[in-house]
């Protein structure tokens, strides 16, 4: 448990540091850092940078070398982990961290800072992947290079840390612009809306938690401007209302444990807070509830299905196809498959071009294995090197994804 890990924010600060790491794999418990990079940004402008290769003390796999372009000869000459991490820790200071799919980077840095420096990495962070799912709905892929192509952001070298930091910075700037503009449908609806001092949110303080499903965040912001209300995604004790996104509200009503749910319940019992779902917010302002455009997953392994119909479309498992191989330590393969489809993903029995994640049992996941790889893993590596949207992850990383958000 990374108990002192920073908070995942949905915000657009003007000063921050962007990070990216390259590793021998995706499991912080079993893999090693081989490159780190960071950009320091002030007032949305890059003012400094830091990058370095790291000698992991082992030979890296040919797959990783082909993917990143980093060779064993380069790594033998690189400084060791402690020296690089100390420089990086000083460079980042207490900045908010920005990154794409940044949880992976944060987890690696948290564990490595603790292991080599005896320091906890507590910086709050912003994930441009989460923000992209909010503002660029319906994009075929949310990989960094795919989003860059979609937004006409120039790409230099992919899978190198500093180049990916620069691409992430441009993506972040594009997201700020998207944040300012509701959709065409929402703009037309906004033109028809007007509220006087009798509206229920007049002079009230409102927080939103979770990624909204019915309307965009920017639309909600503009509606609350018309209501003369104070609106943000920060949950203060002084809030009069908290709006939980559709999926978050369901988790709240189901009694799932969360610090924000416990905090909300205490304030509700004190009589100072009202909890609303997105639908209840719409009802209070007589806003139409849009017809859902959600589609259910079409592909599933034999005998695996779900009765659930309400999915969080921004969850890391939603809409993704998983294939499992090897023996899982913490649950049966059938239960793991069920977990995927219950989050709106799909499962397969073999690796194909439609596979997004190959999950290796923890005992089968080893970054130093060179020969002894399963046919599924070899095929997945070939597909990834060919540009397909597929990752090879351990059982541990799979559980991290399932519990994300």
């Amino acid at each position: 448990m990374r108990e002192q890990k920073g908070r995942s924010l949905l915000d657009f600060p003007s000063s921050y540091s962007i990070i990216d790491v390259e590793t021998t794999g995706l499991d912080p418990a079993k893999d090693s850092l081989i490159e780190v990079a960071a950009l320091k940004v002030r007032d949305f402008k890059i003012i400094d940078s830091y990058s370095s290769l790291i000698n992991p003390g082992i030979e890296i796999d040919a797959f990783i070398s082909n993917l990143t372009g980093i060779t064993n000869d380069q790594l033998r000459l690189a400084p060791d982990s402690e020296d690089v991490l100390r420089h990086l820790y000083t460079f980042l200071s207490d900045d908010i961290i920005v990154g794409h799919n940044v949880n992976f980077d944060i987890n690696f840095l948290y564990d490595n800072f603790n292991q080599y420096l005896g320091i906890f990495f507590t910086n709050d962070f912003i994930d441009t992947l989460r923000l992209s799912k909010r503002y660029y709905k319906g994009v075929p892929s949310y990989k960094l290079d795919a989003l860059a192509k979609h937004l006409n952001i120039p790409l230099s070298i992919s899978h190198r840390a500093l180049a990916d930091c620069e691409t992430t910075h441009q993506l972040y700037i594009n997201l700020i612009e998207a944040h300012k503009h509701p959709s065409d449908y929402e703009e037309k609806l906004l033109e028809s809306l007007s509220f006087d001092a009798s509206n229920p949110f007049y002079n009230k303080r409102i927080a939103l938690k979770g990624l909204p499903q019915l309307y965009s965040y920017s639309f909600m912001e503009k509606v609350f401007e018309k209501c003369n209300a104070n609106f943000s995604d920060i949950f203060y004790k002084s809030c009069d209302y908290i709006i939980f996104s559709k999926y978050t509200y369901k988790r709240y009503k189901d009694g799932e444990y969360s610090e924000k749910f416990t905090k909300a319940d205490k304030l509700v019992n004190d009589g100072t807070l009202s909890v609303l779902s997105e639908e209840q917010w719409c009802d209070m302002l007589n806003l139409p509830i849009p017809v859902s455009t959600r589609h259910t997953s079409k592909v599933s392994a034999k005998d695996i299905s779900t009765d659930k119909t309400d999915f969080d479309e921004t969850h890391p498992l939603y809409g993704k196809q998983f294939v499992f191989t090897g023996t899982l330590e913490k649950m049966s393969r059938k239960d793991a498959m069920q977990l995927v489809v219950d989050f709106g993903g799909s499962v397969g029995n073999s690796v194909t071009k439609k596979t997004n994640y190959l999950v290796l049992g923890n005992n089968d996941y080893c970054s130093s294995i060179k020969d002894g790889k399963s046919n599924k893993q070899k095929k997945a590596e070939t597909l990834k090197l060919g540009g397909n949207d597929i990752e090879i992850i351990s059982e541990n990383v799979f559980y991290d994804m399932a519990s994300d958000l």
Side-chain angles (χ1 to χ4, degrees), residues 145-160:
D145 56 353
L147 285 166
K149 290 177 182 176
H150 176 74
L151 297 169
N152 295 317
I153 297 172
L155 282 168
S156 51
I157 307 170
S158 61
H159 299 297
R160 288 302 300 266

Side-chain angles (χ1 to χ4, degrees), residues 33-228:
L33 292 165
I34 56 175
E35 186 178 30
V36 299
L39 298 174
K40 189 174 291 293
V41 180
R42 295 293 180 266
D43 195 23
F44 301 113
K45 296 179 181 178
I46 298 171
I47 63 167
D48 200 0
S49 66
Y50 174 75
S51 66
S52 178
L53 294 174
I54 297 176
N55 187 340
I58 59 171
E59 295 282 301
I60 64 170
D61 193 301
F63 165 66
I64 297 299
S65 186
N66 289 333
L67 180 68
T68 62
I70 299 171
T71 67
N72 280 301
D73 287 340
Q74 290 174 309
L75 293 177
R76 289 189 196 100
L77 300 174
D80 61 22
S81 296
E82 183 175 347
D83 183 48
V84 174
L85 291 170
R86 195 173 300 282
H87 279 90
L88 180 64
Y89 186 81
T90 301
F91 183 88
L92 296 175
S93 185
D94 59 354
D95 275 7
I96 292 173
I97 303 301
V98 174
H100 196 72
N101 201 15
V102 75
N103 254 308
F104 284 118
D105 307 77
I106 292 289
N107 289 345
F108 264 98
L109 292 178
Y110 186 102
D111 292 357
N112 278 265
F113 281 148
N114 194 17
Q115 177 183 350
Y116 291 102
L117 306 179
I119 295 170
F120 289 114
F121 188 38
T122 60
N123 300 50
D124 292 338
F125 55 93
I126 294 167
D127 190 352
T128 55
L129 175 61
R130 288 188 69 195
L131 291 172
S132 296
K133 288 184 174 182
R134 169 178 284 193
Y135 294 110
Y136 303 129
K137 292 183 180 295
V139 176
S141 172
Y142 289 94
K143 290 174 62 178
L144 181 60
D145 56 353
L147 285 166
K149 290 177 182 176
H150 176 74
L151 297 169
N152 295 317
I153 297 172
L155 282 168
S156 51
I157 307 170
S158 61
H159 299 297
R160 288 302 300 266
L162 190 59
D164 284 350
C165 282
E166 292 166 351
T167 303
T168 300
H169 178 245
Q170 292 303 315
L171 172 60
Y172 183 76
I173 299 302
N174 276 266
L175 283 163
I176 292 172
E177 290 303 310
H179 171 72
K180 297 175 182 177
H181 303 292
S183 68
D184 291 342
Y185 168 76
E186 291 172 338
E187 287 283 13
K188 290 179 182 179
L189 181 57
L190 281 169
E191 291 174 4
S192 69
L193 298 177
S194 63
F195 304 99
D196 58 27
S198 66
N199 83 76
F201 301 108
Y202 183 78
N203 274 347
K204 300 296 184 183
R205 193 168 196 168
I206 301 101
L208 170 69
K209 300 307 289 184
L211 294 167
Q213 303 293 303
L214 301 183
Y215 289 101
S216 70
Y217 185 85
S218 53
F219 173 82
M220 296 178 75
E221 269 189 320
K222 292 184 180 296
V223 168
F224 280 118
E225 285 178 14
K226 288 175 174 280
C227 290
N228 195 36

Side-chain angles (χ1 to χ4, degrees), residues 160-336:
R160 288 302 300 266
L162 190 59
D164 284 350
C165 282
E166 292 166 351
T167 303
T168 300
H169 178 245
Q170 292 303 315
L171 172 60
Y172 183 76
I173 299 302
N174 276 266
L175 283 163
I176 292 172
E177 290 303 310
H179 171 72
K180 297 175 182 177
H181 303 292
S183 68
D184 291 342
Y185 168 76
E186 291 172 338
E187 287 283 13
K188 290 179 182 179
L189 181 57
L190 281 169
E191 291 174 4
S192 69
L193 298 177
S194 63
F195 304 99
D196 58 27
S198 66
N199 83 76
F201 301 108
Y202 183 78
N203 274 347
K204 300 296 184 183
R205 193 168 196 168
I206 301 101
L208 170 69
K209 300 307 289 184
L211 294 167
Q213 303 293 303
L214 301 183
Y215 289 101
S216 70
Y217 185 85
S218 53
F219 173 82
M220 296 178 75
E221 269 189 320
K222 292 184 180 296
V223 168
F224 280 118
E225 285 178 14
K226 288 175 174 280
C227 290
N228 195 36
N230 186 329
F231 175 65
S232 80
D233 58 9
I234 301 176
F235 183 11
Y236 296 103
K237 288 184 179 180
S238 57
C239 286
D240 300 290
Y241 293 93
I242 184 167
I243 302 172
F244 287 137
S245 69
K246 187 176 180 180
Y247 182 71
T248 305
Y249 185 78
K250 183 178 185 300
R251 290 165 52 206
Y252 171 70
K253 297 301 288 185
D254 286 345
E256 181 179 315
Y257 173 76
S258 167
E259 287 186 8
K260 61 178 173 283
F261 295 160
T262 301
K263 179 180 175 182
D265 282 337
K266 182 181 184 304
L267 295 173
V268 168
N269 291 334
D270 290 343
T272 62
L273 180 75
S274 296
V275 175
L276 301 177
S277 67
E278 288 185 78
E279 287 88 347
Q280 289 168 335
W281 170 71
C282 288
D283 287 342
M284 290 177 70
L285 291 176
N286 294 316
L287 294 173
I289 296 178
V291 177
S292 174
T293 58
R294 178 187 58 79
H295 59 279
T296 57
S297 50
K298 298 178 180 179
V299 183
S300 63
K302 185 179 179 182
D303 299 329
I304 303 295
S305 61
T306 184
D307 295 328
K308 297 182 182 296
T309 58
D310 189 16
F311 302 113
D312 177 4
E313 296 181 30
T314 68
H315 193 277
L317 271 59
Y318 178 83
K320 299 296 183 181
Q321 186 180 111
F322 286 75
V323 172
F324 294 84
T325 187
T327 302
L328 303 183
E329 292 180 344
K330 298 180 181 179
M331 63 172 60
S332 68
R333 186 180 296 189
K334 181 179 179 181
D335 288 343

Side-chain angles (χ1 to χ4, degrees), residues 14-26:
S14 60
S15 296
Y16 47 90
S17 284
I18 297 175
I19 63 169
D20 189 72
V21 304
E22 298 299 333
T23 68
T24 59
L26 298 177

